[in-house]
Amino acid sequence: MLFHRRETRLPSPEEALKGRPEPEFTLPDRHTVLGNPLAGPYPEGLTVADFGLGCFWGAERKFWQTPGVWTTLVGYQGGHTPNPAYEEVCSGLTGHTEAVRVVFDPSSVSYTTLLKLFWESHDPTQGFRQGNDTGTQYRSAVYTHSPAQQAEAEASRTAYQSVLRASGYGDITTEILPAGPFYPAEPHHQQYLDKNPAGYCGIGGTGVSCPVGVTKADG
């Protein structure tokens, strides 16, 4: 997952690659572990959450192993280039981060629980890096789908910042923004660590527990 790239700064919309109007592949129909469809529309009563926490191979596995999660898929989010290719994202010229879309049943698992998993599964203080993986595509991010999610994500960031600082860590660099377009990644990236159990996983947390239940948002 390490690639030669340009300086680690986000491109402006004018600098970003042009992209393409449609993806150059067909997304697989179903999740290889959970058996449910990858793409929406999703059944009534399910909720969508989007997270960026480094290499999306290991990040996706963290979420599909969580009871109450209905499906997951990986993709590119937070940038400018429509339907980018993986190599383009890794160049730093699209502005995207590697993201995991999590579709979950809020009656079985709360958004708060997913936020706790998100914070504890990576180091959100590293900027454009996660461990040995360096580049804008590895930045930490939460992309929200409702004002309630936005409020809860921001509150959890504040709570986690306090315990991180007490443990000697610096400022959280996670961006928390309303969700923009989510572009699914190529088929071989979907559920990669199910297809390649010994494959690379760069996901690792700080070891600092995240407080939960900081708000009453519904997700």
Side-chain angles (χ1 to χ4, degrees), residues 9-203:
R9 69 175 183 88
L10 289 172
S12 67
E14 294 73 26
E15 294 173 317
L17 298 176
K18 184 177 180 180
R20 51 198 59 80
E22 300 290 339
E24 296 182 324
F25 57 85
T26 300
L27 191 67
D29 181 51
R30 292 187 177 271
H31 198 286
T32 62
V33 178
L34 301 175
N36 293 319
L38 293 185
Y42 301 112
E44 186 176 353
L46 300 182
T47 301
V48 175
D50 296 330
F51 303 100
L53 54 156
C55 172
F56 52 21
W57 293 348
E60 184 187 21
R61 182 169 61 181
K62 287 282 188 181
F63 289 104
W64 86 50
Q65 292 175 334
T66 302
V69 170
W70 191 81
T71 200
T72 60
L73 66 159
V74 297
Y76 313 116
Q77 202 165 12
H80 308 296
T81 301
N83 296 294
Y86 178 69
E87 293 76 14
E88 294 172 338
V89 173
C90 290
S91 75
L93 289 170
T94 73
H96 294 92
T97 192
E98 294 188 13
V100 182
R101 172 151 288 182
V102 182
V103 183
F104 65 101
D105 181 351
S107 68
S108 298
V109 61
S110 68
Y111 187 59
T112 298
T113 298
L114 297 180
L115 284 168
K116 178 178 173 64
L117 178 61
F118 164 76
W119 293 118
E120 293 181 356
S121 295
H122 74 304
D123 181 348
T125 69
Q126 293 189 315
F128 295 145
R129 181 171 67 86
Q130 200 57 221
N132 291 327
D133 294 332
T134 302
T136 56
Q137 74 272 27
Y138 298 118
R139 71 188 185 274
S140 176
V142 180
Y143 299 115
T144 62
H145 290 266
S146 69
Q149 281 193 358
Q150 184 76 21
E152 190 165 350
E154 290 175 353
S156 70
R157 178 175 58 188
T158 299
Y160 199 40
Q161 180 67 80
S162 296
V163 295
L164 282 178
R165 188 172 291 120
S167 299
Y169 286 88
D171 291 341
I172 288 176
T173 58
T174 305
E175 61 185 33
I176 300 177
L177 299 168
F182 178 95
Y183 299 105
E186 294 81 349
H188 65 277
H189 291 301
Q190 305 297 335
Q191 298 87 64
Y192 179 86
L193 290 180
D194 177 53
K195 302 168 187 173
N196 304 275
Y200 171 81
C201 176
I203 294 299

